[in-house]
């Protein structure tokens, strides 16, 4: 039986004061949660997340990681640095990174490998654009994104990772995939992994992301292959994020 996980992606939002209020609320409420819970915060606030959440049930992580170990890579942050701030998770291949910063499947695969090597749990994001869905190639796109990581790191690596299916057309748009649309892609992903390793497929947490709100979380999380959510906008509002965690 897979446990559910709800991870917040704060994106580039927050300041020390608003973060503290949010972290305090999440920490207080976390004792009563039966799902896993995490927040992925901007790099400058990792120390604040660590100080606020250490010893609680809430894990924290980064939103991006360099594929390189160290060196002359101005502006980049290594996996080892994230580990020093107590991170358990890191988002890899979020669609905003792919679309706005030119991250290719190969770069995402290299970042995934770097995260794993440092002992982090990568949350690998995959998903199709609206044009790709309308062209009927959702499965092709998601499989290509997944296969890039499997070829680089091997199937067993997925046993130490979390997947997030995030249709690009549903992120930050208020349009959510229907529970059945999401379930279909989650089942496709699990079947693809099962072709190589049935046990890894069975244990793999596959989160859904894309305009998850308190009002739609429960029906999404009730689907058999949806193991929780990656939450953007709603993770910035304590009541909403905690309601979504309760739904899980
Ligand atoms: C995200 O950024 O991963 C996300 C799912 O955003 P939102 O919940 O705002 O659609």
């Amino acid at each position: 039986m897979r446990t559910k996980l709800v991870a917040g992606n704060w994106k580039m939002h927050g300041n020390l004061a608003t973060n503290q209020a949010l972290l305090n609320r999440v920490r207080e409420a976390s004792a009563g949660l039966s799902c896993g819970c995490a927040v992925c915060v901007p790099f400058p606030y990792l120390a604040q997340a660590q100080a606020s959440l250490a010893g609680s049930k809430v894990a924290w992580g980064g939103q991006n990681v360099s594929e390189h170990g160290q060196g002359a890579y101005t502006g980049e942050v290594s996996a080892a640095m994230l580990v020093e701030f107590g991170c358990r998770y890191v988002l890899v291949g979020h669609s905003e990174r792919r679309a706005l910063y030119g991250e290719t499947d190969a770069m995402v695969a290299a970042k995934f490998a770097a995260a794993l090597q440092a002992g982090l749990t990568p949350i690998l994001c995959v998903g199709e654009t609206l044009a790709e869905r309308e062209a009927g190639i959702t499965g092709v796109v998601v499989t290509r994104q997944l296969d890039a990581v499997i070829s680089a790191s091997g199937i067993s690596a997925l046993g130490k990772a979390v997947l997030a299916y995030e249709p690009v057309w549903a992120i930050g748009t208020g349009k959510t995939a229907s529970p059945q649309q999401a379930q279909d892609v989650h089942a496709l992903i699990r079947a693809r992994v099962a072709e190589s390793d049935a046990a890894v497929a069975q244990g793999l947490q596959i989160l859904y992301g894309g305009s998850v709100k308190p009002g739609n979380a429960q029906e999404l999380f009730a689907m058999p292959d949806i193991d929780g959510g990656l939450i953007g906008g709603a993770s910035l509002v304590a009541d909403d994020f905690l309601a979504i965690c309760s739904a899980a």
Side-chain angles (χ1 to χ4, degrees):
M1 176 76 177
R2 293 180 296 273
T3 55
K4 289 212 170 10
L5 170 66
V6 175
N9 171 17
W10 288 7
K11 310 196 192 206
M12 196 173 73
H13 291 292
N15 58 54
L16 287 171
T18 59
N19 297 345
Q20 199 57 57
L22 182 54
L23 290 166
N24 291 348
R25 285 283 316 281
V26 173
R27 185 190 169 108
E28 276 161 25
S30 66
L33 294 175
S34 51
C35 66
C37 181
V39 289
C40 294
V41 308
F43 293 138
Y45 300 132
L46 283 172
Q48 186 184 22
Q50 182 176 31
S52 306
L53 299 175
S56 78
K57 281 170 77 174
V58 187
W60 59 95
Q63 301 171 8
N64 183 28
V65 64
S66 172
E67 61 269 51
H68 303 290
Q70 64 172 350
Y73 301 105
T74 302
E76 292 291 286
V77 170
S78 74
M81 293 171 186
L82 295 179
V83 169
E84 279 205 309
F85 284 89
C87 290
R88 173 151 164 210
Y89 295 104
V90 64
L91 301 182
V92 173
H94 190 280
S95 66
E96 287 154 16
R97 302 290 321 166
R98 294 180 191 259
L100 302 175
Y101 301 99
E103 291 192 7
T104 61
D105 289 340
M107 284 165 70
V108 171
K111 285 168 182 254
F112 181 99
L116 262 191
Q117 205 185 2
L120 294 166
T121 301
I123 302 179
L124 171 67
C125 305
V126 298
E128 82 288 3
T129 63
L130 184 58
E132 289 164 341
R133 173 160 284 265
E134 286 174 351
I137 56 169
T138 296
V140 173
V141 171
V142 167
T143 302
R144 189 201 72 221
Q145 293 170 335
L146 183 60
D147 285 355
V149 168
I150 297 175
S151 339
S153 290
I155 192 68
S156 59
L158 280 187
K160 298 180 207 134
V162 173
L163 240 86
Y165 167 57
E166 298 207 303
V168 179
W169 48 271
I171 297 180
T173 59
K175 281 187 205 162
T176 318
S178 70
Q180 193 57 54
Q181 277 176 321
Q183 165 60 25
D184 289 348
V185 182
H186 282 231
L188 177 147
I189 291 170
R190 202 177 302 287
R192 182 71 180 181
V193 175
E195 284 172 25
S196 304
D197 192 317
V200 168
Q202 194 47 40
L204 182 63
Q205 283 177 317
I206 309 177
L207 314 183
Y208 168 77
S211 298
V212 178
K213 306 277 181 252
N216 60 22
Q218 204 156 14
E219 53 176 1
L220 284 160
F221 298 165
M223 302 309 279
D225 287 294
I226 300 184
D227 306 309
L230 180 55
I231 318 299
S235 72
L236 298 168
V237 180
D239 285 343
D240 288 357
F241 186 62
L242 292 170
I244 293 168
C245 291
S246 297

